[in-house]
Amino acid sequence: MKKQKVCIVGDGLTGLLSAVALGELDLNIEIFGNFTKIKDPDIRTTALSPASFNFLLKFIEKKHSKLFWPCKKIDLFNEIDGKVNFFMDFKNNRNNLMYIIQNIQLKKILLDRIKQNKKIKIFNTRIKKIDEKSSSIILNNKKINFDCALLCIGRNSNITQSFVGKRKISDNFNEIAYTSMVRHNDIITQPKQYFFQEGPMAILPINKKEFSLVWSISKKNDVKTVKKTITNKLVKYVFVKNPKLLKLESFPIIFNFNSNLSRKNVLVMGEGAYSVHPLAGQGFNLILRDIKELQSLIKNNLSLGLQIKDSFLLKKFIKSRKPENLLFGMSLNLVHKFFKSNNIMNPMKKRIMKDLNKFEFLKKISLNISNKGIFS
Ligand SMILES: Cc1cc2nc3c(=O)[nH]c(=O)nc-3n(C[C@H](O)[C@H](O)[C@H](O)COP(=O)(O)OP(=O)(O)OC[C@H]3O[C@@H](n4cnc5c(N)ncnc54)[C@H](O)[C@@H]3O)c2cc1C
């Protein structure tokens, strides 16, 4: 049988990792994106669970694994009635709890791997149209046929919008996630999460002297005030003596779960399919599990000599991944709502959180879920 072709549209983490993972199989891969972009680099940072990191290790060179900052512990703090108190920690004494890397670095590692793989063809161009009826991508009046296409072009693309339609489960928090790299002169090696009254703030070190900060707050605040408030909070509660915020960027937060993820031989993946609250740093971990499952299903098809095109493969994929992703996303919403300050809830919250750290069994379950997912 002629080698089957998978076209991957998008040069974000989803598109790049899909190309790397599927590039290991007996397939021809074509990836489309703006690979020469110098403007607007992705300043976000990704915290990967140990299971996600192990999946990545299969594809990356040993020297690159050293670029990930390993952490054994995360401390959680909560603000109630103007006071910020430690209430819980998660730790993994024997193994690491998470691995942190800047998106720019992770993208570079993945792109280098793609360039080394002769089965992957790179098209440095943005796609304008995808015709699912004829299973082809329209590029400068040229048709590129595929057996399967993955649309990994994020949540803002018109192509994604027209593809997934209007059926979705969504929740608009009216919030925005501010993120910035912070330089300092102290030594901070472990991540921390602060549930401030205004919203959750994550501190994710990438080395001893720099950490990435993500603060999700109401859209009402202006950037100047946000910058000042972040600096004050870092000094007062995180005990950073002289924090230097580099470029501050913002990402609107929305919980979005599209119902239609596939049409004919095209599958929407990544943030175009669903986006979850960044509070627990789970977004890309969920996507990575999707990629792992897709790779395994295609591998199975290939080993049986079956076609991907017009098969049940994409439906099978959606059936196996959709329930977990939806459950995960909704659980994050619940956690977020619980911590959002509310004077009526405060006495109850205080009581619940007083003893939360003692429930080792619950902590173990939470750790397992954030590492491998709900159903593993
Ligand atoms: C502040 C913040 C912090 C986060 N932290 C974490 C974390 O710690 N851990 C975690 O697991 N997740 C985290 N996430 C989530 C994670 O960043 C996203 O899930 C992930 O980056 C999504 O990648 P993507 O490739 O699906 O989408 P995108 O990053 O949006 O990439 C889509 C790409 O497609 C390209 N594209 C668009 N249209 C076309 C076209 N027509 N043709 C070709 N290319 C096109 C775009 O240029 C873009 O590069 C965080 C998110 C935010 C907002």
Side-chain angles (χ1 to χ4, degrees):
M1 188 164 67
K2 207 176 135 213
K3 248 192 203 174
Q4 304 187 64
K5 192 204 281 179
V6 178
C7 284
I8 297 168
V9 188
D11 53 0
L13 287 180
T14 308
L16 294 173
L17 183 59
S18 299
V20 167
L22 299 186
E24 297 291 303
L25 306 180
D26 192 22
L27 293 166
N28 282 329
I29 309 283
E30 293 183 353
I31 180 163
F32 303 80
N34 182 4
F35 295 98
T36 47
K37 73 177 152 215
I38 305 157
K39 269 188 183 173
D40 302 328
D42 188 345
I43 72 155
R44 287 173 291 181
T45 293
T46 298
L48 290 171
S49 77
S52 299
F53 181 66
N54 282 341
F55 179 67
L56 261 186
L57 278 187
K58 290 183 192 163
F59 315 117
I60 66 176
E61 289 175 45
K62 209 168 170 212
K63 65 173 184 196
H64 288 144
S65 66
K66 296 198 177 94
L67 297 172
F68 293 78
W69 186 254
C71 308
K72 283 202 181 312
K73 182 175 184 269
I74 181 166
D75 288 333
L76 311 186
F77 302 82
N78 186 37
E79 180 175 11
I80 297 187
D81 301 335
K83 284 190 189 131
V84 175
N85 290 313
F86 164 86
F87 71 94
M88 195 178 195
D89 61 13
F90 286 102
K91 53 184 167 220
N92 212 340
N93 291 330
R94 272 173 294 155
N95 302 310
N96 288 314
L97 191 69
M98 65 176 88
Y99 297 81
I100 304 169
I101 188 160
Q102 284 179 282
N103 284 13
I104 296 179
Q105 274 187 324
L106 183 52
K107 284 180 180 176
K108 192 177 172 307
I109 295 172
L110 295 172
L111 188 57
D112 283 352
R113 178 77 185 182
I114 288 171
K115 284 178 181 165
Q116 285 164 11
N117 189 335
K118 292 202 170 60
K119 283 183 283 176
I120 310 179
K121 206 165 157 188
I122 302 175
F123 288 82
N124 192 16
T125 182
R126 282 173 84 84
I127 292 303
K128 293 214 173 64
K129 201 172 166 217
I130 188 153
D131 180 16
E132 77 269 14
K133 284 194 189 108
S134 62
S135 293
S136 58
I137 281 171
I138 317 292
L139 191 67
N140 305 329
N141 299 327
K142 200 172 111 188
K143 261 189 170 188
I144 298 179
N145 297 322
F146 53 76
D147 294 287
C148 172
L150 308 180
L151 270 187
C152 314
I153 49 182
R155 57 180 162 167
N156 299 324
S157 154
N158 291 338
I159 303 177
T160 307
Q161 307 288 346
S162 68
F163 214 87
V164 293
K166 292 209 167 103
R167 282 187 59 202
K168 61 174 94 168
I169 300 170
S170 63
D171 196 349
N172 192 344
F173 302 102
N174 272 320
E175 279 178 11
I176 207 155
Y178 283 94
T179 186
S180 172
M181 205 46 90
V182 180
R183 288 212 180 115
H184 56 90
N185 296 320
D186 305 275
I187 294 179
I188 297 175
T189 56
Q190 302 301 332
K192 296 169 202 281
Q193 174 96 42
Y194 291 84
F195 292 93
F196 288 124
Q197 255 163 21
E198 302 93 326
M201 181 187 281
I203 307 283
L204 301 167
I206 55 156
N207 58 51
K208 284 179 194 166
K209 299 285 178 197
E210 283 174 300
F211 58 78
S212 165
L213 174 143
V214 184
W215 195 26
S216 315
I217 50 169
S218 156
K219 276 182 181 164
K220 282 181 233 153
N221 304 278
D222 66 280
V223 178
K224 219 169 155 190
T225 317
V226 170
K227 242 180 162 170
K228 210 169 140 195
T229 317
I230 289 176
T231 309
N232 289 343
K233 286 201 184 290
L234 288 177
V235 173
K236 192 168 173 193
Y237 300 114
V238 192
F239 308 112
V240 187
K241 280 186 212 101
N242 193 11
K244 260 197 202 86
L245 260 72
L246 306 185
K247 195 177 168 203
L248 185 71
E249 273 200 7
S250 61
F251 295 81
I253 302 176
I254 187 159
F255 169 68
N256 222 359
F257 208 94
N258 292 307
S259 296
N260 304 319
L261 300 182
S262 146
R263 259 197 254 156
K264 272 211 83 167
N265 296 303
V266 183
L267 174 69
V268 181
M269 288 190 79
E271 286 239 307
Y274 56 88
S275 48
V276 299
H277 199 288
L279 107 122
Q282 284 295 319
F284 187 61
N285 283 279
L286 294 178
I287 295 168
L288 185 142
R289 279 177 220 137
D290 291 344
I291 296 170
K292 194 174 169 186
E293 174 69 4
L294 187 67
Q295 190 208 37
S296 151
L297 288 173
I298 294 182
K299 192 175 176 184
N300 192 39
N301 247 43
L302 293 176
S303 71
L304 297 171
L306 298 174
Q307 265 192 203
I308 306 171
K309 195 172 185 175
D310 301 329
S311 71
F312 286 108
L313 190 136
L314 297 185
K315 284 200 173 69
K316 218 167 154 184
F317 164 79
I318 292 170
K319 207 172 157 197
S320 79
R321 291 297 303 151
K322 210 170 172 181
E324 170 167 353
N325 289 335
L326 184 58
L327 205 56
F328 221 108
M330 292 182 103
S331 313
L332 289 178
N333 287 2
L334 269 182
V335 173
H336 179 53
K337 282 187 177 142
F338 174 77
F339 280 105
K340 236 180 164 181
S341 193
N342 172 341
N343 287 341
I344 304 164
M345 287 279 286
N346 278 354
M348 193 176 88
K349 265 201 286 188
K350 261 188 195 166
R351 206 172 298 164
I352 293 175
M353 285 157 79
K354 201 172 121 246
D355 293 324
L356 210 54
N357 207 28
K358 293 180 193 154
F359 291 101
E360 288 301 330
F361 180 64
L362 262 182
K363 282 166 62 172
K364 220 172 161 182
I365 293 176
S366 311
L367 268 185
N368 212 30
I369 289 175
S370 59
N371 181 23
K372 294 184 187 161
I374 299 172
F375 302 129
S376 304

